[in-house]
């Protein structure tokens, strides 16, 4: 409701201005759909780069990585969420499929289990390293420890006892991959229901 009360005076003012000056176009719903909001602003530990997402009223969001040393900006499209690691050296997040593609699948009533998954990206602030890993469900990192990331990929269902009645699991069974960001070395833990990092390790 607050948004309604705030937008109403703006629309009234723009309508009055448009009436006074015929060359000005009155704002309508389509204008608000193309306006972009800045979300999820973050800055690295040493201040060498900052990240933020540009999110339109309708359409795909983009992640912007601004390098404060070179005053240059790198863009990664369709990023739904991102984080900077605790040491401030790496940026990682999830890239979603194109919004239009997902809407088409929804119209066709395709089961969501068959929809394309998100892609995990890992990069450095200067763009010297770029990694993309498809079909990632989620990721977690230690709150106060850099250089480590864990992410999950949906696993094939385990072979169970066929004589027992199947129960619907509350959580998906996943394969968990633990990655050291600086070396790229990974270890896989199979058939995991849930996981958490120690805060400082």
């Amino acid at each position: 409701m607050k948004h309604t009360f705030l937008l109403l005076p703006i629309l009234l003012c723009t309508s009055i201005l448009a009436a006074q000056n015929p060359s000005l176009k009155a704002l309508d719903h389509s204008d608000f759909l193309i306006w972009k909001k800045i979300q999820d602003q973050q800055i690295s530990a040493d201040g060498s780069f900052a990240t933020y997402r540009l999110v339109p009223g309708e359409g795909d969001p983009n992640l912007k990585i601004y390098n404060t040393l070179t005053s240059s900006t790198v863009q990664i499209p369709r990023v739904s969420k991102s984080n900077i690691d605790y040491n401030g050296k790496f940026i990682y997040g999830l890239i979603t499929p194109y919004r239009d593609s997902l809407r088409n699948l929804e119209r066709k009533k395709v089961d969501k289990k068959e929809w394309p998954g998100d892609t995990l990206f890992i990069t450095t602030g200067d763009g010297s390293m770029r990694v993309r890993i498809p079909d990632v469900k989620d990721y977690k990192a230690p709150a106060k420890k850099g250089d480590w990331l864990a992410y999950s990929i949906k696993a094939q269902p385990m072979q169970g006892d066929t004589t027992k009645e199947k129960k619907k699991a509350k959580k998906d069974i996943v394969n968990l991959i633990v990655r050291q960001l600086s070396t790229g070395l990974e270890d896989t833990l199979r058939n995991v229901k849930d996981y958490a990092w120690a805060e400082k390790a």
Side-chain angles (χ1 to χ4, degrees), residues 14-81:
T14 53
S15 298
I16 292 168
L17 286 171
Q20 292 174 348
N21 188 345
S23 63
L24 293 176
K25 177 183 176 290
L27 291 175
D28 58 23
H29 180 67
S30 62
D31 294 311
F32 291 104
L33 294 180
I34 62 173
W35 281 5
K36 296 178 181 178
K37 295 182 290 185
I38 294 176
Q39 294 182 354
D40 306 331
Q41 305 95 313
Q42 300 174 68
I43 189 165
S44 63
D46 62 0
S48 61
F49 63 89
T51 66
Y52 59 94
R53 291 194 311 129
L54 275 183
V55 183
E58 186 174 281
D60 297 310
N62 293 316
L63 177 70
K64 302 282 188 176
I65 303 171
Y66 176 73
N67 189 313
T68 60
L69 304 177
T70 62
S71 298
S72 60
T73 301
V74 175
Q75 175 174 292
I76 302 178
R78 308 192 318 280
V79 173
S80 59
K81 71 171 186 174

Side-chain angles (χ1 to χ4, degrees), residues 150-165:
Y151 62 92
S152 62
I153 296 176
K154 191 166 183 180
Q156 295 295 324
M158 290 184 291
Q159 294 296 323
D161 187 344
T162 55
T163 62
K164 293 182 180 179
E165 184 181 350

Side-chain angles (χ1 to χ4, degrees), residues 179-197:
R179 182 184 181 99
Q180 186 176 27
L181 296 172
S182 59
T183 64
L185 294 175
E186 293 185 337
D187 192 16
T188 300
L189 305 171
R190 299 189 181 279
N191 304 317
V192 173
K193 263 193 176 181
D194 204 356
Y195 64 99
W197 281 100

